[in-house]
Amino acid sequence: MTPTQARHVRRAVPQAAVTASAARAGGDPDLFFCADDEGLAAWRAGRTEAIRLRTGCPVRATCEELALRAGDGRPDTDEMVRAGLTGRGLAAVRAAHPERLAAAVDADRDTEGRQLDTFTTQLQDEAGTNPDSSRRGGPRALALRTAAENDRFRTLAAQIRAARRARAGWGVAA
């Protein structure tokens, strides 16, 4: 995904690309964050290695866009590397594009919020239907309809949970 493409899609698409790439690459995610008890010299060596590893990453631009939208990195602290940039580097890029990033974050929330509203409405509609409404079929048909309705409830509830997690910026559901 090119930087331009990453800027023009909603959060779920780049998140899926970065998650898939990270799963293929393996490695230790702790390499990209300064540990609480890590000395400055050790962090500098680790930071240099993390930057080197991410320089040729195929989803670097996508990862950078996600980091910028998430607000990762602070100008006053050297605590992380994401998309080949330090926290300070991310903060500088974010400061250079405040309007674009604010619009992207709002669009992400709007898209995810609409999806959540749609799933919630479907669940309420399903809950409002009476599996008993048919006068034919007897108890066996009623049991089958009730089981099918329960399966549909579980599916919609899972979709709502996934939409809420996505809206909160979580990756894969735990």
Side-chain angles (χ1 to χ4, degrees):
M1 182 176 292
T2 67
T4 303
Q5 290 171 327
R7 288 185 188 117
H8 295 289
V9 295
R10 299 297 163 248
R11 182 179 180 86
V13 174
Q15 184 66 55
V18 169
T19 301
S21 179
R24 283 191 304 272
D28 183 11
D30 292 337
L31 175 67
F32 302 98
F33 299 94
C34 182
D36 291 337
D37 59 348
E38 189 172 20
L40 185 58
W43 166 241
R44 285 183 178 156
R47 179 186 63 202
T48 302
E49 177 65 10
I51 291 170
R52 185 190 66 75
L53 286 172
R54 289 302 170 231
T55 300
C57 180
V59 292
R60 181 178 177 185
T62 307
C63 186
E64 179 182 332
E65 181 66 18
L66 284 174
L68 293 172
R69 289 183 190 188
D72 287 350
R74 297 188 321 233
D76 59 340
T77 307
D78 182 16
E79 81 286 9
M80 67 178 302
V81 171
R82 186 146 180 212
L85 297 172
T86 64
R88 290 179 179 149
L90 286 168
V93 173
R94 192 174 49 255
H97 301 278
E99 294 86 16
R100 182 188 68 75
L101 291 170
V105 169
D106 286 344
D108 290 342
R109 286 188 186 129
D110 185 45
T111 300
E112 292 157 353
R114 273 196 312 271
Q115 182 182 26
L116 181 58
D117 290 345
T118 300
F119 290 146
T120 303
T121 301
Q122 287 176 352
L123 183 62
Q124 290 170 343
D125 289 346
E126 291 283 335
T129 62
N130 183 356
D132 226 5
S133 63
S134 174
R135 295 179 188 206
R136 298 182 190 174
R140 180 169 166 78
L142 174 61
L144 291 173
R145 284 193 308 274
T146 302
E149 182 180 80
N150 288 340
D151 286 341
R152 180 71 179 141
F153 283 164
R154 278 191 286 279
T155 301
L156 285 170
Q159 289 172 330
I160 289 169
R161 278 193 304 276
R164 284 184 178 151
R165 287 182 172 120
R167 188 169 189 177
W170 297 353
V172 178

